[in-house]
Amino acid sequence: MSIETRLAAVDRAADKYFPTERDDQFLLRLNRLLARDRDGNPIASPRKDRGTGEAQGLFVIEAAGGGNTSLVKNGLKEHPLLQSNGEGHMPWIMLDAAPSPATTKALGLDILYKTGYRDVSNRETEQGIWKLLKHRLVLLNTVFVCIDEGHDLLGAASPFEIRNMQKRLKNLMQGEGAVSVILIGIGELQHLAAYDDQINRRYQKLAFDDISPVRDARLLKGILHTMCAEVAIDAPKEPDLIERLVHASRRRFGWFIKNTLRALEIAALAGASRLEKVHFAEDWAIQEDAEVGKNVFLSREWSKIDLSEKPLPPRSKKGC
């Protein structure tokens, strides 16, 4: 197999989704947000509180690099009740990131654009934008509105803006055209609920654990072998590679996948017949710019290498 063919295979492997038990957990939560028919089967409509008539939302929380964005997008895309039946039907909408700056007007505009509506002026009032958005969600029979990097809705906003943001999200889950709101983010996302007990009660929480080289050994080894097979390269044999790779990935599933893909690319470029530790080490040197003694894939004391995030240095004053 030529190098070009292998590189093309690496690209195809990057598009492959690897389901895990995490997907089952998300599906369970997703179905709990859906209304049920008389037989207890979920239907394509948000489940509403019998007392208030309001839909409920979901916080999906995991450290950066965990892969929760891909998980949520795949779960929504593959759910049998959330398939679009054509133009004018949009069961779910996913915003790839919170707007910057994260104002309620900007958020309303971004979601409105995602519905396919473009005929709105930036001079439109905030109230007018959200009223139009609610109307669009009714027309499109939307069930879920999902916002990635939901923690950025906090950002550096003032307490007033944060409360206003909460009210707007709450409004999406109320009245005619109510939808379930899913916010994806890191641990800071939980602070969004801390401002208001009612908001806290409106959102279920789904937090994922870090991966473990012991508990998840079979799963991770299987994924590694599958990815190698996709590229027609033999899987590595080094007994401690999974442990090193998990440590290098900060115990995060998404980074485990990305680190493996980059190592496979290096192996393909080298014309290697087997993926080996040296390919991961080369990628680590490129990505982390670390000396040999701090290279997780080369050091004998790799488990002692501190990979915790360091705070950014303070900005120097102008003129200094």
Side-chain angles (χ1 to χ4, degrees):
M1 183 182 293
S2 68
I3 290 177
E4 291 76 15
T5 302
R6 283 188 171 180
L7 288 175
V10 172
D11 291 339
R12 289 194 298 273
D15 293 331
K16 189 177 181 66
Y17 183 78
F18 296 94
T20 68
E21 291 182 359
R22 295 150 42 106
D23 295 88
D24 297 331
Q25 295 176 44
F26 177 65
L27 178 60
L28 179 63
R29 295 300 185 91
L30 201 60
N31 283 336
R32 288 191 62 193
L33 294 175
L34 293 172
R36 294 190 287 263
D37 62 20
R38 292 183 178 181
D39 297 322
N41 299 308
I43 59 176
S45 180
R47 184 181 180 184
K48 298 180 180 179
D49 184 274
R50 293 182 181 276
T52 64
E54 298 175 2
Q56 194 174 30
L58 175 66
F59 286 170
V60 182
I61 304 165
E62 190 175 20
N68 52 5
T69 300
S70 297
L71 179 145
V72 171
K73 184 175 291 186
N74 185 75
L76 292 169
K77 183 176 67 175
E78 297 297 328
H79 198 291
L81 295 178
L82 302 178
Q83 305 302 306
S84 175
N85 58 20
E87 188 175 352
H89 182 224
M90 195 175 290
W92 58 277
I93 294 168
M94 186 164 186
L95 206 61
D96 295 329
S100 180
T103 65
T104 48
K105 182 175 181 178
L107 179 63
L109 278 173
D110 281 3
I111 301 174
L112 192 56
Y113 290 156
K114 276 290 185 177
T115 69
Y117 191 85
R118 297 288 187 272
D119 189 20
V120 59
S121 169
N122 285 327
R123 290 177 293 181
E124 178 65 74
T125 65
E126 177 186 322
Q127 184 175 355
I129 289 169
W130 283 86
K131 183 177 180 180
L132 181 57
L133 174 58
K134 287 279 288 187
H135 177 67
R136 288 287 295 170
L137 296 177
V138 172
L139 290 179
L140 296 171
N141 291 308
T142 302
V143 181
F144 292 106
V145 170
C146 180
I147 304 171
D148 196 8
E149 299 183 5
H151 51 272
D152 285 339
L153 292 178
L154 290 173
S158 66
F160 170 79
E161 185 63 37
I162 292 173
R163 286 194 295 271
N164 196 28
M165 186 74 71
Q166 291 174 337
K167 290 178 181 178
R168 291 301 182 187
L169 293 176
K170 180 171 67 175
N171 180 258
L172 286 182
M173 297 188 283
Q174 294 176 321
E176 184 183 8
V179 299
S180 287
V181 174
I182 300 175
L183 297 181
I184 309 171
I186 59 178
E188 294 175 14
L189 184 58
Q190 292 177 325
H191 296 312
L192 184 62
Y195 283 90
D196 188 330
D197 287 340
Q198 292 186 21
I199 292 292
N200 188 40
R201 290 194 294 270
R202 283 188 175 91
Y203 287 88
Q204 297 180 27
K205 317 297 186 301
L206 178 58
F208 294 112
D209 295 330
D210 291 340
I211 55 175
S212 163
V214 178
R215 182 192 65 234
D216 302 314
R218 183 176 180 180
L219 167 68
L220 300 176
K221 186 176 181 179
I223 290 175
L224 190 59
H225 280 245
T226 299
M227 295 175 76
C228 287
E230 290 278 337
V231 189
I233 291 179
D234 292 338
K237 288 186 174 181
E238 292 99 334
D240 63 347
L241 179 60
I242 291 291
E243 292 177 295
R244 289 176 184 261
L245 182 52
V246 168
H247 185 66
S249 303
R250 277 77 169 178
R251 294 180 173 269
R252 296 169 192 175
F253 183 71
W255 284 353
F256 178 94
I257 299 294
K258 289 182 178 180
N259 286 336
T260 302
L261 285 168
R262 289 199 301 264
L264 276 169
E265 182 176 9
I266 289 174
L269 286 168
S273 60
R274 181 182 299 278
L275 182 62
E276 296 179 338
K277 195 184 300 180
V278 65
H279 302 124
F280 288 93
E282 183 177 341
D283 173 66
W284 182 265
I286 295 171
Q287 294 294 324
E288 302 288 337
D289 192 27
E291 57 192 72
V292 174
K294 294 184 179 180
N295 190 311
V296 173
F297 298 98
L298 296 178
S299 174
R300 291 184 177 181
E301 298 185 333
W302 59 269
S303 62
K304 296 181 181 179
I305 298 175
D306 183 11
L307 299 179
S308 57
E309 295 182 4
K310 305 294 191 301
L312 292 174
R315 295 182 180 179
S316 59
K317 295 181 180 179
K318 291 183 178 180
C320 295

